[in-house]
Amino acid sequence: MKASSLDPRRWSLAFKAPLFVAAFMLVVSIVMTNAVLSRLRETQERHLSALSTIYLNGLAATLIPHVLRDDIWEIFDAIDRGASLEAGFGRATIVVVDAKGQTLAASVPKLAPVLSQQVGRDQAFQGDSSLIVDIDKARAFARRSLIYQGRRIGAIYVDYDVSHLLRERADVLRTLIGTNAAIAVFLAAFGYWVIRWMLGPLRTLTRHLDLGVAGTVQPIPAHAVAASTQEFGRLFRRFNVMAEAVNDREVIAKELANEERLASLGRLASGMAHEINNPLGGLFNAIDTLKRHGDKPNVRSSSLDLIERGLKGIRDVVRSALTVYRADRNPRNLVTADLDDLKLLIRPEIERRSLRLDWRNHLEADLPLPASAIRQVVLNLLLNAIQVSSLGSQVRLEAAVVGGDLVIEVLDCGPGFDEEARSVLTGEADRPPPIHSRTGSGLGLWMTHRLVHDLNGRTVIDTQLDGGSLVRVVIPLTPAEELRDVA
Amino acid sequence: MVTAHPPTVRAAQPFRFGLTPVFLNSDLDLLEALQKYLSAAMGTEVQLVLKRTYQEITSQLLSGLLDAAWICGFPFVAYRRELELVAVPIWRGKTTYQSYLIVSEGREASTISDLRGDIHAFSDPDSNSGYLVTRALLAENGVKPQDFFQRTFFTYGHRNVVRAVAAGLAQSGSVDGYVWEVMTETEAALTRQTRPAWRSDWMGFPPIATARENASSNNIARLRQALWGMPQDRVGREVLNLLRLDGFAPGDPSLFDSIASRVDLVRTLG
């Protein structure tokens, strides 16, 4: 469980709303149950009181003549028969006392023997009350004075078993809890369904945004827009407009990147022309020398030697250029020479800026990586390093296989990457390609990031103590498909 | 025939036979069987008259409102001159019974002195076994019930005495030994909560009596024959079975001499 899932503010609406409904129902249930139970209690006690009064009146009418005569047996006989109550009351305990509070007879004489004092029974009753209900003992206690010709000749105390009334309350409580729980569960489930249904368009939007991260943003289909509510319809239409703009931007960025590549190609071509032009003067001189002194064997031999070296130089330069820009037509594995060729391509730029090139290519065998993509990445990084390095400083390349990864490091002596260039290159934020850039290298970096990303690699930029930056590209040698699934 | 001899006033009156719940357990089955048997055996309509106390039965018998009644030995002795013996029941082969002092089961008591200070239940002030015997026993010691016991009361029924002692309303009671023994068969749950602490000597069983001036009438002769012949009749045997009696004997007034001496004792000593 993530820490965020403990924070209620971050819980899903589809969960929160039913929870709220359930909590609300709980409060309503408690209030309702209390109200119902207290009404039930009042009703039961009112009925019990009425019933008790009727019962005691009947009993008193029977008992008064016997009490007047102190006829213990007849009193006992009457209350023994009268103790068995109907309507769930079970057997009552009845005690009849005389005016002095002495027991005349009790339905259970062993609990209240004849002549025993029962004054304590009156103390439990407050004021003139004639009924007490003791919930804990599940019994009700009632009293009635026996009045004859205006004089009190004794009293009856009755204690009823009221457990059936308490059972009835418990039944009502159970029924209320059951019913309310069922309603709460139903409402919570209904709330969950309603919220999920209402938030359906949001899920559509989220899905399309997720798809957009990987590549082109997919507009929401027209039927989904038409089927949505007014609010979400507007949102969907705005999203579609935005998706179109983003996709256009992507296309433009690609075109610009291409143009950037062509621009650097032009720059390289002019360098190459210079490279070719240099030996050309020497070659024409050699041809001139041959024309004039070709008959001298040592002159002819040295001139031809010169021509051969010049032509070899031209051939190497042309071959490198061809290899770089034959991209993707014939994908093959990366070999050591692919990187070494780049040295030739950048030499004019290195010389133009009077830089020293420290070339440490430790690669030996073929690597299962697409040659053209890696070359493009390294070329972009080198060109960027050359561009930012101050005149006369050093640029270093180091390539090696470490563990299961190809690691390429390019060190420059420039001012370091600004924040924008850094985030473009490392892909720290999912951001659109930079259309404008002060240095003009933004698109090159963005292309580099996309290429590294496609190869499941990652880019790290270290700032050196003496200024300058170390760009490290790490590309796994494992087949790309497996990693893409994990990513 | 009916038109030739119009019925006399006497013949139109049913034979009135008195009973008290002191002795009988107001058993409707028994009353129905007894009424049916006597009517058939006597050849005349018999009306059973139930009164609450012996006193009511005795006074109605003496005043002629009843033709005969099943009374107790005590009123028979008390009104010896006005009453004539009709028959005496035979119980367990004898015409005698005992009086019991009963206490609740588990209580230690074997003489009446163990019962001092009790709340005591009598059955009827005119009952021999349910009052006179205990009264005489106390008189021998020179005390009266109201001084010896904390409190006494009458239940007007031997069965009620057993109920009172069983429930704990009374701590002891004076009861007819025959009734208690019969109840051990019919209501064992009740008698099991009590036990006889003391038994009297054997005395004459409560008799069936009639007013002296009525003793020689035809109806009384027929009643005697009906009672004596009870074991020979199917309904009669049913009645005897319900009463757990063997039959009825002519009896002799001397059977009640021990009761008479108790009456004398009580009169002398108060």
Side-chain angles (χ1 to χ4, degrees):
Chain A
M1 185 179 272
K2 286 190 289 185
S4 64
S5 62
L6 292 173
D7 183 356
R9 282 172 302 185
R10 305 193 59 178
W11 290 350
S12 154
L13 256 184
F15 175 68
K16 263 201 278 195
L19 191 72
F20 178 76
V21 170
F24 178 73
M25 272 305 296
L26 183 72
V27 173
V28 170
S29 300
I30 290 170
V31 173
M32 255 178 59
T33 305
N34 267 328
V36 169
L37 282 184
S38 90
R39 279 305 297 270
L40 179 65
R41 191 170 55 240
E42 283 169 23
T43 308
Q44 279 186 340
E45 288 187 5
R46 205 167 52 245
H47 284 181
L48 181 64
S49 175
L51 211 68
S52 170
T53 306
I54 293 167
Y55 173 67
L56 288 174
N57 285 349
L59 205 58
T62 311
L63 289 176
I64 282 174
H66 305 314
V67 171
L68 278 173
R69 286 199 302 271
D70 269 1
D71 192 335
I72 291 176
W73 173 257
E74 288 301 333
I75 294 168
F76 173 75
D77 201 36
I79 61 181
D80 191 42
R81 279 182 275 114
S84 294
L85 300 177
E86 302 295 326
F89 278 99
R91 206 172 150 76
T93 310
I94 308 169
V95 177
V96 181
V97 301
D98 61 16
K100 289 180 293 205
Q102 269 192 343
T103 306
L104 287 170
S107 62
V108 184
K110 280 163 187 161
L111 296 180
V114 174
L115 301 182
S116 61
Q117 268 295 341
Q118 302 294 336
V119 173
R121 286 185 187 258
D122 258 332
Q123 289 165 1
F125 292 88
Q126 289 179 345
D128 291 334
S129 74
S130 60
L131 185 72
I132 307 170
V133 179
D134 188 334
I135 300 292
D136 294 336
K137 291 182 185 156
R139 294 197 83 87
F141 302 91
R143 68 168 172 184
R144 190 196 189 278
S145 290
L146 296 172
I147 308 291
Y148 183 74
Q149 292 184 353
R151 292 174 65 176
R152 187 175 181 275
I153 57 167
I156 313 173
Y157 299 98
V158 181
D159 126 36
Y160 310 96
D161 178 4
V162 292
S163 53
H164 70 291
L165 298 181
L166 302 184
R167 269 200 305 280
E168 194 180 344
R169 284 185 207 173
D171 282 348
V172 168
L173 180 65
R174 264 198 300 280
T175 308
L176 281 173
I177 288 174
T179 312
N180 289 339
I183 293 173
V185 167
F186 171 75
L187 285 182
F190 183 68
Y192 178 75
W193 179 79
V194 164
I195 296 292
R196 277 199 51 99
W197 174 74
M198 285 170 72
L199 294 184
L202 269 188
R203 278 197 305 283
T204 307
L205 198 61
T206 309
R207 194 168 59 246
H208 281 265
L209 284 170
D210 283 346
L211 286 172
V213 172
T216 43
V217 183
Q218 301 285 335
I220 293 166
H223 66 84
V225 177
S228 57
T229 57
Q230 199 183 349
E231 297 86 345
F232 280 108
R234 195 155 61 230
L235 185 63
F236 283 180
R237 281 192 289 278
R238 292 278 156 79
F239 175 81
N240 282 353
V241 169
M242 188 202 77
E244 229 165 88
V246 168
N247 288 343
D248 286 352
R249 192 189 179 97
E250 187 94 357
V251 171
I252 290 166
K254 274 185 184 154
E255 277 170 11
L256 283 174
N258 230 3
E259 278 170 19
E260 170 83 9
R261 197 161 74 145
L262 291 176
S264 67
L265 176 65
R267 216 157 49 235
L268 287 172
S270 89
M272 265 168 57
H274 181 72
E275 198 75 351
I276 292 167
N277 194 41
N278 275 346
L280 273 183
L283 287 177
F284 280 120
N285 275 339
I287 288 168
D288 219 26
T289 309
L290 273 179
K291 276 181 183 166
R292 274 187 281 154
H293 309 288
D295 51 337
K296 291 175 187 168
N298 61 329
V299 173
R300 189 172 67 232
S301 168
S302 67
S303 294
L304 281 173
D305 206 32
L306 196 74
I307 290 168
E308 191 181 13
R309 270 188 282 126
L311 286 174
K312 268 185 186 166
I314 291 169
R315 184 191 65 194
D316 288 348
V317 170
V318 171
R319 193 194 283 152
S320 313
L322 277 176
T323 318
V324 173
Y325 297 99
R326 201 174 51 200
D328 302 337
R329 248 175 282 163
N330 187 15
R332 59 178 178 77
N333 283 353
L334 181 73
V335 296
T336 317
D338 286 322
L339 294 187
D340 287 341
D341 280 351
L342 295 174
K343 204 159 48 166
L344 287 172
L345 286 180
I346 59 167
R347 197 168 67 198
E349 284 289 298
I350 293 283
E351 284 173 359
R352 192 167 63 82
R353 298 183 66 84
S354 308
L355 298 172
R356 273 172 290 115
L357 180 63
D358 185 356
W359 195 261
R360 303 179 188 178
N361 183 0
H362 304 302
L363 301 182
E364 286 165 3
D366 282 16
L367 297 178
L369 293 169
S372 62
I374 301 289
R375 281 167 59 111
Q376 185 69 52
V377 167
V378 177
L379 181 61
N380 281 353
L381 290 176
L382 284 170
L383 287 176
N384 181 66
I386 290 164
Q387 192 178 0
V388 298
S389 290
S390 48
L391 288 172
S393 64
Q394 185 184 347
V395 169
R396 192 183 83 198
L397 175 125
E398 187 155 13
V401 174
V402 179
D405 301 320
L406 167 64
V407 179
I408 296 163
E409 289 180 352
V410 175
L411 179 71
D412 65 51
C413 297
F417 281 79
D418 63 25
E419 204 50 47
E420 188 185 353
R422 179 188 290 270
S423 65
V424 167
L425 181 57
T426 58
E428 272 166 10
D430 273 331
R431 47 178 300 155
I435 302 290
H436 58 89
S437 170
R438 285 185 301 279
T439 56
S441 63
L443 275 169
L445 293 178
W446 181 71
M447 276 300 288
T448 306
H449 164 68
R450 293 300 297 257
L451 286 168
V452 171
H453 180 79
D454 288 348
L455 292 167
N456 289 306
R458 62 181 196 278
T459 309
V460 182
I461 301 172
D462 279 341
T463 304
Q464 300 295 294
L465 286 175
D466 53 353
S469 304
L470 177 73
V471 180
R472 183 185 297 119
V473 175
V474 181
I475 296 166
L477 298 179
T478 12
E481 285 74 17
E482 292 172 23
L483 285 162
R484 185 164 294 150
D485 288 344
V486 177
Chain B
M1 250 176 91
V2 172
T3 48
H5 300 279
T8 62
V9 172
R10 180 77 191 164
Q13 292 287 329
F15 185 84
R16 293 167 59 86
F17 188 74
L19 298 163
T20 79
V22 175
F23 179 65
L24 293 163
N25 169 19
S26 299
D27 186 327
L28 294 180
D29 286 344
L30 169 65
L31 296 176
E32 192 185 328
L34 183 63
Q35 199 262 343
K36 194 172 147 194
Y37 171 74
L38 288 179
S39 298
M42 290 173 66
T44 182
E45 194 196 339
V46 173
Q47 185 187 348
L48 298 181
V49 179
L50 289 171
K51 292 294 169 197
R52 183 167 176 253
T53 64
Y54 277 131
Q55 198 190 1
E56 288 168 274
I57 288 288
T58 310
S59 60
Q60 291 209 358
L61 187 61
L62 293 173
S63 63
L65 286 172
L66 295 175
D67 295 307
W70 197 340
I71 58 169
C72 184
F74 181 18
F76 177 73
V77 166
Y79 299 98
R80 181 69 192 85
R81 278 195 295 274
E82 291 87 353
L83 295 174
E84 190 70 43
L85 196 61
V86 175
V88 183
I90 306 169
W91 178 51
R92 294 178 177 174
K94 293 188 288 186
T95 52
T96 53
Y97 79 125
Q98 290 172 294
S99 168
Y100 291 173
L101 283 175
I102 57 166
V103 294
S104 58
E105 174 59 35
R107 181 176 168 194
E108 290 287 330
S110 59
T111 66
I112 191 155
S113 54
D114 294 331
L115 309 182
R116 183 181 288 278
D118 274 6
I119 289 166
H120 190 87
F122 290 121
S123 66
D124 189 298
D126 287 335
S127 164
N128 172 49
S129 58
Y131 180 67
L132 182 66
V133 171
T134 308
R135 176 86 203 271
L137 206 58
L138 292 174
E140 281 172 15
N141 298 317
V143 286
K144 289 180 177 173
Q146 59 267 38
D147 301 323
F148 182 76
F149 295 117
Q150 187 187 6
R151 176 80 193 249
T152 62
F153 60 91
F154 293 98
T155 67
Y156 299 96
H158 289 295
R159 182 177 174 273
N160 290 343
V161 172
V162 181
R163 268 177 71 198
V165 175
L169 186 69
Q171 284 135 25
S172 53
S174 302
V175 72
D176 186 322
Y178 152 74
V179 171
W180 191 86
E181 296 291 346
V182 170
M183 280 177 72
T184 57
E185 294 176 37
T186 57
E187 291 179 275
L190 204 55
T191 50
R192 211 179 293 129
Q193 299 173 61
T194 65
R195 74 173 185 89
W198 177 86
R199 289 177 171 86
S200 72
D201 53 2
W202 295 89
M203 304 164 292
F205 206 94
I208 287 133
T210 183
R212 185 171 287 274
E213 64 270 18
N214 198 25
S216 52
S217 70
N218 282 341
N219 271 339
I220 294 300
R222 279 204 291 258
L223 176 63
R224 281 201 176 97
Q225 291 301 324
L227 291 172
W228 294 341
M230 218 180 237
Q232 281 81 52
D233 182 86
R234 191 184 57 80
V235 181
R237 280 195 300 276
E238 195 186 320
V239 172
L240 288 174
N241 186 48
L242 285 168
L243 288 166
R244 302 293 196 278
L245 291 175
D246 303 325
F248 286 86
D252 189 281
S254 66
L255 265 176
F256 304 97
D257 286 350
S258 67
I259 299 175
S261 63
R262 281 193 176 83
V263 174
D264 291 340
L265 179 73
V266 168
R267 279 188 186 147
T268 314
L269 300 174

